């Protein structure tokens, strides 16, 4: 059964952990290893674009250049990873996707929603997720969590967005909540509480989604 599932949320909302937990659970329940991927990134070319996008040294990046780089990374990722996996009937779980561009570049930076939607359609060939988990978390706590994680990491310096002022992250969060109102595939998950509590909320929604699919 093909299912394209995405996770969204502000930084530090616990997405990556929950992506892995859902993937493990799907594997134990359905005996199938989902394809786990992320944006920006997911393949070599898109990972190179990710490094440019998130490098804290690129403070001066023009917001239109930023938007186009996200679209370019997505087009490559779609062609190389997501579409081939969906066409062979796999579960695909992607950490961030098109809603992130609407939330960050649209609500966060103030770029045109219509323009972003057009670019999203170009990059995805119109493919949309079947189910989206929006992990909702207070921006103040999320950002301080993400900043300390970055400070402890030996990996590349990927904190260009974490350096944005808190008002930016509030706009992003409010943008996500707005998107949720207009798209029934988006399910807001309260991401406060323990990792296991949040995982249980996600599994409940996921199980309902699978039941509805099987009833069709
Ligand atoms: P990550 O830290 O969750 O991997 O996300 C990388 C950053 O990229 C995060 O700050 C959100 C941002 N982003 C956008 O601004 N627009 C997008 O379209 C995507 C996919 C991510």
């Amino acid at each position: 059964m093909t299912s394209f599932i995405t996770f969204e949320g502000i930084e530090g909302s616990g997405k990556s952990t929950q992506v892995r937990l859902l993937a493990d659970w799907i594997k134990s329940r359905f005996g199938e290893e989902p394809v786990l991927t992320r944006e920006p990134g997911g393949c070599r070319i898109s990972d190179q674009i990710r490094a440019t996008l998130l490098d804290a040294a690129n403070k001066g990046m023009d917001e239109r250049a930023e938007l186009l780089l996200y679209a370019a990374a997505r087009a490559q990722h779609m062609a190389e990873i997501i579409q081939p996996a969906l066409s062979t009937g796999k579960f695909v779980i992607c950490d961030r996707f098109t809603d992130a561009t609407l939330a960050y570049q649209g609500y966060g930076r103030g770029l045109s929603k219509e323009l972003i939607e057009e670019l999203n359609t170009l990059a995805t060939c119109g493919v949309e997720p079947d189910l989206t988990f929006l992990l909702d978390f207070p921006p103040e706590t999320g950002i301080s969590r993400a900043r300390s994680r970055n400070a402890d990491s030996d990996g590349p310096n990927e904190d260009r967005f974490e350096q944005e002022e808190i008002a930016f992250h509030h706009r992003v969060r409010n943008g996500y909540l707005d998107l949720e109102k207009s798209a029934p595939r988006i399910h807001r998950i309260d991401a406060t509480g323990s990792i296991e509590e949040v995982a249980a909320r996600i599994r409940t929604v996921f199980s309902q989604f699978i039941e509805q699919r099987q009833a069709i």
Side-chain angles (χ1 to χ4, degrees):
M1 185 195 314
T2 306
S3 285
F4 182 23
I5 302 147
T6 58
F7 277 72
E8 299 281 358
I10 59 153
E11 358 291 291
S13 56
K15 283 180 295 89
S16 314
T17 305
Q18 295 299 336
V19 162
R20 277 194 303 277
L21 289 175
L22 181 65
D24 291 346
W25 187 75
I26 290 176
K27 186 164 183 226
S28 66
R29 182 87 197 268
F30 299 94
E32 199 195 304
E33 187 104 54
V35 172
L36 287 195
T37 188
R38 68 169 179 183
E39 289 205 344
C43 55
R44 201 178 65 89
I45 294 172
S46 307
D47 276 334
Q48 288 176 352
I49 300 174
R50 177 186 176 95
T52 302
L53 275 164
L54 304 187
D55 186 345
N58 290 339
K59 272 198 190 78
M61 189 182 296
D62 180 87
E63 54 200 28
R64 290 160 308 164
E66 178 184 276
L67 172 64
L68 292 168
L69 286 174
Y70 278 109
R74 179 163 301 132
Q76 186 67 32
H77 182 218
M78 205 60 209
E80 224 180 287
I81 306 290
I82 298 182
Q83 272 179 327
L86 292 176
S87 71
T88 54
K90 299 216 164 108
F91 278 108
V92 175
I93 307 183
C94 190
D95 186 342
R96 296 194 187 281
F97 195 58
T98 45
D99 298 316
T101 321
L102 285 162
Y104 282 80
Q105 281 64 53
Y107 289 86
R109 303 262 190 247
L111 293 175
S112 149
K113 190 177 175 200
E114 289 70 33
L115 176 64
I116 295 172
E117 280 171 341
E118 265 183 57
L119 282 172
N120 278 347
T121 306
L122 176 71
T124 61
C125 303
V127 173
E128 285 188 16
D130 299 300
L131 175 67
T132 299
F133 294 106
L134 167 56
L135 300 198
D136 190 31
F137 201 68
E140 283 78 4
T141 328
I143 298 313
S144 66
R145 217 194 230 183
R147 281 181 187 150
S148 59
R149 185 185 52 207
N150 250 321
D152 294 345
S153 151
D154 297 332
N157 189 1
E158 286 196 336
D159 64 354
R160 194 168 66 86
F161 279 82
E162 278 128 40
Q163 290 180 3
E164 290 287 340
E165 85 272 28
I166 198 72
F168 174 82
H169 297 283
H170 276 283
R171 289 198 297 280
V172 171
R173 174 178 182 240
N174 291 336
Y176 272 131
L177 295 177
D178 227 28
L179 294 174
E180 180 217 350
K181 288 189 205 129
S182 56
R185 72 174 160 80
I186 304 181
H187 294 259
R188 190 182 80 85
I189 302 288
D190 174 4
T192 61
S194 71
I195 290 176
E196 187 40 46
E197 279 164 348
V198 178
R201 291 175 198 137
I202 290 171
R203 286 196 299 266
T204 302
V205 173
F206 184 75
S207 301
Q208 285 161 359
F209 163 78
I210 293 292
E211 271 169 34
Q212 279 163 7
R213 286 216 131 183
Q214 285 168 341
I216 293 171

